Amino acid sequence: MKKLYFFILLGCSLALHSTSRAAFPPEYYPPQGHPRLWLTQERLTTLQNAKQQNTPRWVAFKDLCDSLIDTDSANDPWNLADAPQHYTAPLALMYRLTNNPIYADKALDLMDLTPVPYEGIYPEPDHENYQYVGLTYDWLTDYAGMTDPRITAYLAKMKAISDFFWDENTSASGTDSDKNLLTGVIHFILGAAMYLDDTPIAITILDRGWYGWENG
């Protein structure tokens, strides 16, 4: 069930092995090109339909994104200053749905501000949403504002995030199953986003995710 959930999360339609693997199976490495995570055609069609129908959920989603790009700090969502990564993926998704660069530019600004985890800034993985960094990177890789220096910086940041949770979690492996699963999700998303852009590091991070789920 854990493996099935993971591949649904990535939007993959791949057959799964029934046997356990010590490392991330190479046959499941992501395909070439971005975006490759979650944005299946079915999901995009559903979201575009909601946009066209102006459904309540679409209105709420757009209101959130618009509150992030306006100049009124009084309506900013909770925890934006301490955890900007929480709002990078919503903005990146809004850009994919509207092609309005103002959302992509704000998403990248928040990516620049996203801190590498350390003690004192909500180090628990279920409070962090650091997987959103990987989603945002994947969804905006082809955006004009994703410059080469930014790509280099984000690849280094994703490695640092994975390193933090790996070092933090190895002592808990086998004793804290929830933490293994949650950090596994972060490793999976970051590694899948980085694959082919920094393949050796991406494989290491994917292997970390697999280890977490094997021990979760």
Side-chain angles (χ1 to χ4, degrees), residues 32 51 85 96 104 111 166 169 176 212:
Q32 190 167 357
K51 173 188 167 188
Q85 72 275 7
R96 301 295 307 190
M111 287 275 280
W166 180 249
N169 201 44
D176 189 341

PDB file of all heavy atoms in Angstrom, residues 32 51 85 96 104 111 166 169 176 212:
ATOM      1  N   GLN A  32      12.311  11.567 -18.894  1.00  0.00           N
ATOM      2  CA  GLN A  32      12.995  12.807 -19.233  1.00  0.00           C
ATOM      3  C   GLN A  32      11.986  13.937 -19.363  1.00  0.00           C
ATOM      4  O   GLN A  32      10.854  13.746 -19.782  1.00  0.00           O
ATOM      5  CB  GLN A  32      13.759  12.649 -20.544  1.00  0.00           C
ATOM      6  CG  GLN A  32      14.687  13.810 -20.865  1.00  0.00           C
ATOM      7  CD  GLN A  32      15.646  13.470 -21.983  1.00  0.00           C
ATOM      8  OE1 GLN A  32      15.648  12.350 -22.477  1.00  0.00           O
ATOM      9  NE2 GLN A  32      16.456  14.438 -22.376  1.00  0.00           N
ATOM     10  N   LYS A  51     -11.594  25.930 -12.986  1.00  0.00           N
ATOM     11  CA  LYS A  51     -11.311  27.337 -13.270  1.00  0.00           C
ATOM     12  C   LYS A  51     -12.405  27.941 -14.152  1.00  0.00           C
ATOM     13  O   LYS A  51     -12.921  29.036 -13.871  1.00  0.00           O
ATOM     14  CB  LYS A  51      -9.952  27.445 -13.952  1.00  0.00           C
ATOM     15  CG  LYS A  51      -9.596  28.836 -14.446  1.00  0.00           C
ATOM     16  CD  LYS A  51      -8.331  28.781 -15.279  1.00  0.00           C
ATOM     17  CE  LYS A  51      -8.122  30.079 -16.032  1.00  0.00           C
ATOM     18  NZ  LYS A  51      -7.002  29.974 -16.994  1.00  0.00           N
ATOM     19  N   GLN A  85       8.258  28.023   1.834  1.00  0.00           N
ATOM     20  CA  GLN A  85       8.088  26.873   0.940  1.00  0.00           C
ATOM     21  C   GLN A  85       6.657  26.348   0.935  1.00  0.00           C
ATOM     22  O   GLN A  85       6.229  25.691  -0.021  1.00  0.00           O
ATOM     23  CB  GLN A  85       9.054  25.734   1.320  1.00  0.00           C
ATOM     24  CG  GLN A  85       8.738  24.996   2.597  1.00  0.00           C
ATOM     25  CD  GLN A  85       9.291  25.668   3.841  1.00  0.00           C
ATOM     26  OE1 GLN A  85       9.813  26.782   3.764  1.00  0.00           O
ATOM     27  NE2 GLN A  85       9.189  24.995   4.981  1.00  0.00           N
ATOM     28  N   ARG A  96       0.870  27.405 -13.942  1.00  0.00           N
ATOM     29  CA  ARG A  96       0.628  26.385 -14.961  1.00  0.00           C
ATOM     30  C   ARG A  96      -0.803  26.454 -15.493  1.00  0.00           C
ATOM     31  O   ARG A  96      -1.061  26.113 -16.639  1.00  0.00           O
ATOM     32  CB  ARG A  96       0.872  24.982 -14.395  1.00  0.00           C
ATOM     33  CG  ARG A  96       2.254  24.705 -13.849  1.00  0.00           C
ATOM     34  CD  ARG A  96       3.364  24.741 -14.843  1.00  0.00           C
ATOM     35  NE  ARG A  96       3.194  23.927 -16.008  1.00  0.00           N
ATOM     36  CZ  ARG A  96       4.170  23.695 -16.896  1.00  0.00           C
ATOM     37  NH1 ARG A  96       5.371  24.208 -16.709  1.00  0.00           N
ATOM     38  NH2 ARG A  96       3.943  22.957 -17.963  1.00  0.00           N
ATOM     39  N   ALA A 104       4.398  32.828 -11.137  1.00  0.00           N
ATOM     40  CA  ALA A 104       5.677  32.125 -11.203  1.00  0.00           C
ATOM     41  C   ALA A 104       6.786  32.947 -10.562  1.00  0.00           C
ATOM     42  O   ALA A 104       7.640  32.404  -9.841  1.00  0.00           O
ATOM     43  CB  ALA A 104       6.018  31.808 -12.655  1.00  0.00           C
ATOM     44  N   MET A 111      10.948  30.588  -3.276  1.00  0.00           N
ATOM     45  CA  MET A 111      11.975  29.540  -3.323  1.00  0.00           C
ATOM     46  C   MET A 111      13.325  30.108  -2.878  1.00  0.00           C
ATOM     47  O   MET A 111      14.076  29.455  -2.141  1.00  0.00           O
ATOM     48  CB  MET A 111      12.084  28.984  -4.737  1.00  0.00           C
ATOM     49  CG  MET A 111      10.936  28.099  -5.152  1.00  0.00           C
ATOM     50  SD  MET A 111      11.144  26.368  -4.640  1.00  0.00           S
ATOM     51  CE  MET A 111      12.257  25.782  -5.927  1.00  0.00           C
ATOM     52  N   TRP A 166      17.783  13.391   6.314  1.00  0.00           N
ATOM     53  CA  TRP A 166      18.456  12.095   6.397  1.00  0.00           C
ATOM     54  C   TRP A 166      19.280  11.998   7.671  1.00  0.00           C
ATOM     55  O   TRP A 166      19.181  11.035   8.418  1.00  0.00           O
ATOM     56  CB  TRP A 166      19.340  11.901   5.172  1.00  0.00           C
ATOM     57  CG  TRP A 166      20.079  10.592   5.150  1.00  0.00           C
ATOM     58  CD1 TRP A 166      21.419  10.398   5.285  1.00  0.00           C
ATOM     59  CD2 TRP A 166      19.510   9.281   4.968  1.00  0.00           C
ATOM     60  NE1 TRP A 166      21.724   9.061   5.197  1.00  0.00           N
ATOM     61  CE2 TRP A 166      20.569   8.357   5.005  1.00  0.00           C
ATOM     62  CE3 TRP A 166      18.206   8.819   4.786  1.00  0.00           C
ATOM     63  CZ2 TRP A 166      20.376   6.983   4.862  1.00  0.00           C
ATOM     64  CZ3 TRP A 166      18.006   7.454   4.639  1.00  0.00           C
ATOM     65  CH2 TRP A 166      19.071   6.559   4.676  1.00  0.00           C
ATOM     66  N   ASN A 169      17.025  11.829  10.658  1.00  0.00           N
ATOM     67  CA  ASN A 169      16.138  10.688  10.782  1.00  0.00           C
ATOM     68  C   ASN A 169      16.834   9.352  10.931  1.00  0.00           C
ATOM     69  O   ASN A 169      16.213   8.381  11.325  1.00  0.00           O
ATOM     70  CB  ASN A 169      15.201  10.620   9.559  1.00  0.00           C
ATOM     71  CG  ASN A 169      13.952   9.811   9.847  1.00  0.00           C
ATOM     72  OD1 ASN A 169      13.351   9.958  10.897  1.00  0.00           O
ATOM     73  ND2 ASN A 169      13.588   8.950   8.929  1.00  0.00           N
ATOM     74  N   ASP A 176      10.736   5.131  14.715  1.00  0.00           N
ATOM     75  CA  ASP A 176       9.752   6.185  14.483  1.00  0.00           C
ATOM     76  C   ASP A 176       9.241   6.018  13.061  1.00  0.00           C
ATOM     77  O   ASP A 176       9.717   6.661  12.123  1.00  0.00           O
ATOM     78  CB  ASP A 176      10.388   7.558  14.684  1.00  0.00           C
ATOM     79  CG  ASP A 176       9.353   8.686  14.672  1.00  0.00           C
ATOM     80  OD1 ASP A 176       8.240   8.446  14.165  1.00  0.00           O
ATOM     81  OD2 ASP A 176       9.660   9.780  15.160  1.00  0.00           O
ATOM     82  N   GLY A 212      13.464   4.981   3.758  1.00  0.00           N
ATOM     83  CA  GLY A 212      12.499   5.440   4.750  1.00  0.00           C
ATOM     84  C   GLY A 212      11.201   4.669   4.694  1.00  0.00           C
ATOM     85  O   GLY A 212      10.628   4.318   5.730  1.00  0.00           O
TER      86      GLY A 212
END
